[in-house]
Amino acid sequence: MDLQDVVSAGVLEQRALLEQGALSTHDLVTATLDAIDAAADLNAFTRVRHKQARAEAIERDRERAAGAVGPLHGIPIAIKDEIDVAGAVTSFGTRANSTPVQADAEVVRRLRAAGAVIVGKTTMPEFGQWPFTESSTYGVTRNPWDRTRTTGGSSGGSAAAVAAGLVPVAIGSDGGGSIRIPSACCGLFGLKPQRGRVPVAPFEHLWWALGVTGPLTRGVLDSAVVNDVIRGNTPGDRFTAPDPVMSFEQAARQITTGLRIGYSTKSPSPLAKPDPEHVRAVLETAKLLADLGHSVFEVDPHYPESLHAFFPQFFGGVRAEVDHVEHPELLERRTRQTVALGAWARRPVVEWAIRQGEAVAHKVDRVFADCDLLLTPTLAGRPPRIGVLDGANTVRAQLRSIPMVAYTALWNVTGHPAASLPAGVGADGLPLAVQLIGPSNGETTILTVAAQLEQVRPHPRPLG
């Protein structure tokens, strides 16, 4: 395996080569940085940490020589640019911040403690508002499968970096689908964990009860390993989740049959209908699951209305992040419109919306009385061409976002775990995807089934 192949390998493959001494962390990180530079046309990164990452790599090699090795020792990882990395500006996709932060976010601290090397910050739309990674500040991020198409968003830079084989994992966040949507557009596995599973410190919240943090990877087992590193509550977390019944890695490695899996292609939104190819992907996946020994049947989830809980938290979450920027006069016009439109989304309204979300979650739980998992499309429409947000004010941008978020946003309101996983390639040459949703604290079941599907239907890779 040459060095270019090593760079595009997964977490476990890179870890094995490093453990065998087939290459050093410094060699791997240097080659990774070179690959990132060579793929600058994707616009996956806002900042590449050339000097700092090489220094970290040398330190990781010293630690390995001393026998101090963590589960991600020497693995290059990219971080979405709304998560603090010490010494870097946390941009939130905007130019309205200019001062580097002094300390790592808790997630980044845990990654470093596990031995990871942080190679850069990835692009996102301003404050993660849109399921398209486009902004007037950082431009358009391009899909490695087809550079004329969107990566989705808001973790679009993270998705592009992993799909292009520049890093084996990138950390994203999901407040309405922002891990799952770009994973679907770019042929990746992306798990939105249970609310409270991964800390958002030093922030009090990430879009209040909507947002969670997690990795985007090419394989299920890689995701499980990284999630095991970053999960776990910290003192002061508003939202918490109990310890899982087993580690995520154990779940991804076990074989289980006889699960009850309901499927539905019904859209939670009356304004979005699923593309026929997405319907086909769900039906084909349902057949695969039945062949694997599960009980698979069609259900009507009777989706409850959730926008009354979602929008106060969305507007309140953006407003809360805008309140912390250094140069509000540099915000994009569309963001200023969002802030003005959301003037009503103040703390009492947001707290009411969180309570409404809990009521929606109780209604949704009815489907899990009969199902261990729910299978749906991830997206309603196919990944559109770049430039979706050109000339759009915040209202039009919301309307253009509906086909992307129709199947994902509900699960942010309820807090349930959900994952997007590849389901082949469409007639347009872009990936197909399906979504698995679990009951509360059901990540281990999602990972088990996703890993089984991956074994019989390996995840595709872009040709270029």
Side-chain angles (χ1 to χ4, degrees):
M1 183 180 287
D2 64 27
L3 204 48
Q4 184 176 356
D5 291 334
V6 173
V7 169
S8 63
V11 172
L12 296 185
E13 295 170 283
Q14 289 188 356
R15 187 171 74 179
L17 291 168
L18 290 165
E19 288 172 347
Q20 294 162 10
L23 76 165
S24 68
T25 300
H26 185 263
D27 290 339
L28 174 58
V29 168
T30 298
T32 297
L33 295 169
D34 289 344
I36 292 170
D37 291 343
D41 66 307
L42 290 175
N43 193 31
F45 287 83
T46 58
R47 294 168 183 81
V48 183
R49 304 178 72 246
H50 292 93
K51 181 178 179 181
Q52 301 94 325
R54 286 189 174 92
E56 288 178 28
I58 291 170
E59 182 60 26
R60 294 293 178 266
D61 284 332
R62 289 175 181 155
E63 292 166 352
R64 185 178 296 278
V69 179
L72 297 176
H73 204 88
I75 303 299
I77 291 182
I79 307 292
K80 187 177 180 179
D81 210 354
E82 66 179 359
I83 300 170
D84 287 352
V85 172
V89 176
T90 302
S91 78
F92 293 94
T94 175
R95 55 185 169 183
N97 282 336
S98 57
T99 302
V101 299
Q102 298 301 306
D104 289 330
E106 176 62 17
V107 164
V108 176
R109 187 198 68 77
R110 292 180 181 188
L111 291 168
R112 288 195 200 274
V117 176
I118 310 303
V119 295
K121 306 291 292 292
T122 57
T123 48
M124 58 183 289
E126 197 161 88
F127 299 104
Q129 296 171 78
W130 317 113
F132 313 103
T133 304
E134 303 177 6
S135 75
S136 61
T137 303
Y138 291 108
V140 173
T141 299
R142 297 176 182 274
N143 194 322
W145 287 79
D146 178 346
R147 282 164 165 74
T148 70
R149 299 296 185 112
T150 184
T151 58
S154 63
S155 305
S158 292
V162 177
L166 308 180
V167 289
V169 57
I171 302 299
S173 59
D174 192 315
S178 290
I179 289 173
R180 290 160 290 158
I181 293 165
S183 293
C185 290
C186 297
L188 304 177
F189 179 76
L191 171 67
K192 180 193 86 70
Q194 172 72 24
R195 177 183 297 149
R197 178 70 65 203
V198 178
V200 297
F203 301 111
E204 176 191 3
H205 60 84
L206 181 58
W207 284 12
W208 299 97
L210 297 178
V212 295
T213 302
L216 293 82
T217 60
R218 290 187 291 279
V220 176
L221 189 55
D222 283 356
S223 175
V225 169
V226 177
N227 270 296
D228 275 335
V229 167
I230 64 175
R231 65 178 173 83
N233 304 137
T234 58
D237 287 345
R238 173 167 181 174
F239 303 105
T240 60
D243 288 338
V245 295
M246 67 184 78
S247 76
F248 286 7
E249 182 175 354
Q250 285 176 292
R253 290 186 183 275
Q254 77 169 0
I255 298 174
T256 299
T257 59
L259 292 173
R260 303 167 304 163
I261 302 175
Y263 71 89
S264 175
T265 59
K266 176 183 177 182
S267 174
S269 170
L271 299 178
K273 292 184 178 180
D275 186 281
E277 286 205 281
H278 297 177
V279 173
R280 176 174 59 80
V282 168
L283 297 178
E284 290 179 353
T285 303
K287 183 180 184 303
L288 280 178
L289 290 168
D291 292 343
L292 288 167
H294 299 293
S295 174
V296 184
F297 45 91
E298 188 171 12
V299 298
D300 183 348
H302 298 290
Y303 294 119
E305 174 57 51
S306 61
L307 294 181
H308 65 296
F310 179 84
F311 274 118
Q313 296 180 77
F314 165 77
F315 283 111
V318 174
R319 287 176 61 86
E321 292 173 346
V322 167
D323 283 345
H324 290 95
V325 302
E326 299 172 82
H327 309 289
E329 70 279 3
L330 298 180
L331 293 173
E332 293 181 5
R333 174 182 57 85
R334 195 161 37 228
T335 297
R336 295 196 297 271
Q337 292 171 346
T338 299
V339 172
L341 282 173
W344 52 273
R346 302 192 182 278
R347 185 80 181 235
V349 177
V350 170
E351 295 291 349
W352 172 86
I354 293 172
R355 294 192 297 272
Q356 294 301 305
E358 292 168 352
V360 173
H362 288 309
K363 293 178 180 179
V364 165
D365 278 336
R366 295 170 189 163
V367 74
F368 296 110
D370 300 314
C371 301
D372 297 304
L373 291 176
L374 176 64
L375 169 68
T376 75
T378 306
L379 308 174
R382 301 298 292 141
R385 295 192 179 277
I386 57 174
V388 181
L389 298 181
D390 288 356
N393 61 23
T394 193
V395 173
R396 289 193 180 93
Q398 290 282 358
L399 292 172
R400 293 176 188 178
S401 299
I402 290 172
M404 305 295 278
V405 305
Y407 286 93
T408 57
L410 170 64
W411 308 109
N412 295 86
V413 170
T414 66
H416 288 78
S420 180
L421 54 150
V425 179
D428 54 7
L430 296 170
L432 296 169
V434 294
Q435 181 177 220
L436 285 173
I437 305 106
S440 293
N441 306 304
E443 295 102 322
T444 51
T445 307
I446 292 173
L447 288 164
T448 296
V449 172
Q452 289 179 304
L453 285 168
E454 185 181 32
Q455 286 295 314
V456 297
R457 184 174 61 193
H459 296 175
R461 297 284 293 272
L463 296 176

